[in-house]
């Protein structure tokens, strides 16, 4: 029963982000914070799959907004969860994406 509001929020975010492009939200910063909080709450409740899915949504939103630091953070959290789930081959994919993300960030300085 306690997860129902989280699941509903996740479902709404998923619907909002299933369309390409930047979603029309009142505050992109608050949206990023909301997704981070959603993922953290799932993690605290011992629901790593839901936390992983939330961080994937966060990664998508950061990518659309051009927030490389936020995207790098989301990718790190994704890798952390995948390691906890003992999925090293999947971690490699996201580490490579993280390297690209950080490389692009260094190139823009």
């Amino acid at each position: 029963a306690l997860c129902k509001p989280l699941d509903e929020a996740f479902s709404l975010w998923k619907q909002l982000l299933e369309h390409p492009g930047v979603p029309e939200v009142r505050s992109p910063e608050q949206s990023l914070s909301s997704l981070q909080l959603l993922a953290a709450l799932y993690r605290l409740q011992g629901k790593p799959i839901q936390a992983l899915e939330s961080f994937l949504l966060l990664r998508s939103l950061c990518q659309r907004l051009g927030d490389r630091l936020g995207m790098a953070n989301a990718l790190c959290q994704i890798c952390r969860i995948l390691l906890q789930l003992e999925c090293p081959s999947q971690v490699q994919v996201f580490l490579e994406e993280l390297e690209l993300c950080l490389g692009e960030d260094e190139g823009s300085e």
Side-chain angles (χ1 to χ4, degrees):
L2 294 176
C3 286
K4 188 176 179 184
L6 285 179
D7 294 339
E8 288 174 3
F10 175 79
S11 178
L12 291 171
W13 277 114
K14 191 172 178 181
Q15 288 174 16
L16 184 66
L17 294 172
E18 70 186 11
H19 305 291
V22 177
E24 292 184 29
V25 293
R26 195 174 310 157
S27 169
E29 294 81 17
Q30 280 186 327
S31 297
L32 294 172
S33 295
S34 294
L35 279 169
Q36 288 173 329
L37 182 59
L38 181 67
L41 289 171
Y42 273 131
R43 183 181 277 164
L44 285 172
Q45 290 189 346
K47 297 184 174 274
I49 301 299
Q50 291 86 343
L52 178 65
E53 290 174 334
S54 299
F55 279 120
L56 288 168
L57 289 177
L58 177 62
R59 172 183 140 247
S60 174
L61 182 58
C62 287
Q63 186 175 33
R64 295 172 194 198
L65 293 172
D67 180 357
R68 288 197 185 9
L69 182 58
M71 188 170 159
N73 180 48
L75 288 165
C76 288
Q77 297 301 324
I78 290 167
C79 290
R80 182 177 173 193
I81 292 170
L82 287 171
L83 285 171
Q84 290 171 341
L85 295 172
E86 300 179 10
C87 301
S89 60
Q90 294 298 319
V91 172
Q92 184 63 35
V93 171
F94 290 103
L95 284 176
E96 290 170 7
E97 186 177 342
L98 178 60
E99 281 183 45
L100 288 173
C101 178
L102 294 175
E104 289 172 3
D105 196 42
E106 288 177 4
S108 66
E109 293 178 5

